[in-house]
């Protein structure tokens, strides 16, 4: 069942994005069982990021921001948050409850693994009540990631 956001807006404001990024990079933006799905990449961090960006561009999404994500306890290497801009302009930001942390669901966290590969955290796309195009972009994010991590050249 899709969840209605308590608050929703589209933004390109760096301050709002930064507020959501720390929690998102730590993986604690989903206070319930709707957390991010992890996808393994056989490519390193930089190659994975390039592949994700190319896949996004093929789907009409542009990169709005790259932010070095804070490391979680026990993380082997660096992480990068990639925030995509919607074709509607800006990126969606949602809050699930009053006082909740803003979340940027059109964003991916890419983390370096211990053996040179990478992991991609894909956020849940179960938001309802957003503009139709934005809901479609969120729903397509997992396929975008699968395409980027698949076989073949970028």
């Amino acid at each position: 069942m899709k969840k209605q956001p308590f608050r929703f807006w589209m933004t390109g404001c760096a301050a709002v994005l930064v507020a959501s990024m720390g929690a998102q990079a730590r993986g604690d933006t989903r206070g319930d069982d709707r957390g991010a799905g992890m996808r393994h990449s056989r490519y390193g961090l930089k190659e994975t990021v390039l592949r994700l960006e190319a896949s996004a561009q093929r789907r009409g999404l542009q990169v709005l921001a790259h932010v070095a994500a804070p490391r979680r306890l026990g993380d082997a290497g660096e992480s990068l948050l990639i925030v995509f801009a919607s074709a509607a302009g800006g990126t969606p930001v949602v809050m699930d409850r009053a006082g909740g942390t803003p979340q940027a669901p059109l964003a991916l966290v890419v983390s370096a693994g211990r053996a040179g590969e990478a992991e991609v955290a894909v956020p849940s796309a179960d938001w309802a009540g957003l503009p139709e195009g934005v809901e479609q972009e969120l729903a397509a994010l997992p396929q975008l990631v699968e395409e980027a991590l698949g076989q073949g050249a970028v």
Side-chain angles (χ1 to χ4, degrees):
M1 182 166 143
K2 292 191 172 206
K3 184 175 180 178
Q4 290 284 342
F6 175 75
R7 286 206 174 100
F8 161 77
W9 66 98
M10 301 291 289
T11 188
C13 176
V16 172
L17 294 174
V18 168
S20 72
M21 290 178 187
Q24 191 156 344
R26 291 187 306 272
D28 63 358
T29 60
R30 311 287 194 276
D32 53 28
D33 61 349
R34 300 175 308 109
M38 294 299 290
R39 301 292 187 272
H40 177 77
S41 173
R42 61 189 171 112
Y43 307 103
L45 180 74
K46 290 179 183 175
E47 178 69 15
T48 298
V49 168
L50 290 173
R51 295 178 72 84
L52 290 165
E53 290 175 354
S55 182
Q57 287 177 353
R58 284 191 291 275
R59 293 171 178 266
L61 299 175
Q62 300 299 314
V63 175
L64 181 61
H66 282 149
V67 176
R71 290 186 185 183
R72 292 185 293 189
L73 189 60
D75 278 355
E78 65 182 312
S79 293
L80 181 70
L81 185 71
I82 306 169
V83 181
F84 296 108
S86 169
T91 195
V93 176
V94 294
M95 291 175 64
D96 61 358
R97 64 189 180 285
T101 302
Q103 303 168 32
L106 200 53
L108 301 169
V109 178
V110 185
S111 301
R114 297 182 190 276
E117 78 292 352
E119 297 287 332
V120 181
V122 182
S124 176
D126 63 351
W127 294 103
L130 307 182
E132 184 177 331
V134 174
E135 279 192 27
Q136 291 171 346
E137 290 167 339
L138 293 176
L141 200 56
Q143 292 90 6
L144 178 155
V145 172
E146 293 302 324
E147 174 187 303
L149 303 182
Q151 301 284 344
V154 177

